[in-house]
Amino acid sequence: EEDSLARYRSPLVSRYASAEMGYNFSERKKFGTWRRLWLYLAQAEKSLGLPITDEQIQEMEANLDNIDFKMAAEEEKKLRHDVMAHVHTFAHCCPKAAAIIHLGATSCYVGDNTDLIVLRDGFNLLLPKLARVISRLADFAEKYADMPALGFTHYQPAQLTTVGKRCCLWIQDLCMDLQSLERARDDLRFRGVKGTTGTQASFLQLFEGDHNKVEELDRLVTAKAGFKRAYMVTGQTYSRKVDIGVLSVLASLGASIHKICTDIRLLANLKEIEEPFEKEQIGSSAMPYKRNPMRSERCCSLARHLMTLVMDPLQTASVQWFERTLDDSANRRVCLAEAFLTADIILSTLQNISEGLVVYPKVIERRIRQELPFMATENIIMAMVKAGGNRQDCHEKIRVLSQQAAAVVKQEGGDNDFIARVRADPYFSPIHKQLESLLDPSSFTGRAPQQVAKFLKEEVRPALIPYQSQMGGKIELAL
């Protein structure tokens, strides 16, 4: 047994990805699916009148997962052809069916159709994970729908929002991703039974010129594989534009998660919100006090990789000459699997983060107190005018006091004392009693709480209904 630590292993599999997604892109799934496709082809050909026996079909059925991988590897070394190596290996354990395995087909019959099955199954693994993240964030948004927090534009203090409303910005992006992933999955068609250059010539010959039977063969095999439709025209392969569509929606998901986790990292620095932190976890080998947002950083790190992967199928599709070239093959082995594995990991990590977000209300309140006095100046002016004051005089008074307070904050590093200055100025005595209510943060959050409630009720919760039975328990991260 070779020492596995002495060889490179992709950290996507060895360190991070779920067992289900690892299996989806495994050799076992791939070659097991090849055998199922050979079986579907033989069953359909038999039902349309080709001389294939029940015995041959039963023999194939009995050996779908009986794969001698050692023999297949030796055959491939000899033949330099992965599909023929597996045809021979399958034929070896199905001597009666040997003559009709792969009848009329080209390599892409098993290769491309398997890829499409794997892509579909990959989406079916990602979608419930994405729904779970949205569901956890929706619970968080609901809980903090009313909690005022300082908003930021340009990462400079802006009008107040609420903790829950900000979370809804994240949720809305993820809901768009949910819709895009569903659409990309549902748009996938099967390559079907198309022959060497996509003309179905070999099958037309098998069925002695009967076009209807060739069409029916394509339809039957497509249905057996669980697809509603096949692409009507293909070259030797399905169009490589399909892969662009698949990786585009995953790249877009990567962008959403990168933005969300960057926000969490910035909030962690502000000490307003932190990701979960294990009791024994060490934030820094040198600085014992540190609590780094390492999970959010992992998401950003991997999301960056996910976003770049879409460049692979873009370039591959652009250089497929005529009916096909083989310069797609090695590239697709890497980028398709990596995109799904990476998306899988960042969704699991984000679920873990969203299940344990910690909010620090006192820090959030303190930051509001620092900034709110300046934001309240308009309310103070209006209250003074209602009490009989002159708007222009009041504006000038406030301008002077607010600049003095800003100097204390910026030049002396002190707290914002604008309100204390207003209290100390007899000019403002008509509204001194109102100052508390004029500075109530919840009067500055507009319709944020109502927006959260409406958005969650009308858009978010309905989008999650198809995934209700897959909402699962909490997720613990291995590393």
Side-chain angles (χ1 to χ4, degrees), residues 144-147 159-166 168 441-456 458:
Y144 295 102
D146 300 342
M147 184 183 280
Q159 280 195 336
L160 301 195
T161 182
T162 68
V163 173
K165 168 67 201 291
R166 175 178 282 145
C168 284
S442 61
S443 67
F444 288 82
T445 56
R447 298 193 60 254
Q450 290 75 17
Q451 286 180 351
V452 171
K454 189 176 166 69
F455 173 59
L456 295 181
E458 294 183 17

Side-chain angles (χ1 to χ4, degrees), residues 3 37 61 75 170 199 316 390:
D3 180 2
L37 287 165
E61 280 174 332
E75 287 286 326
W170 304 340
T199 64
T316 296
N390 173 296

Side-chain angles (χ1 to χ4, degrees), residues 297-316:
E297 289 173 309
R298 177 187 298 173
C299 283
C300 288
S301 190
L302 289 168
R304 195 177 305 140
H305 179 56
L306 180 54
M307 288 187 280
T308 63
L309 286 172
V310 71
M311 288 308 298
D312 274 329
L314 276 168
Q315 300 204 47
T316 296

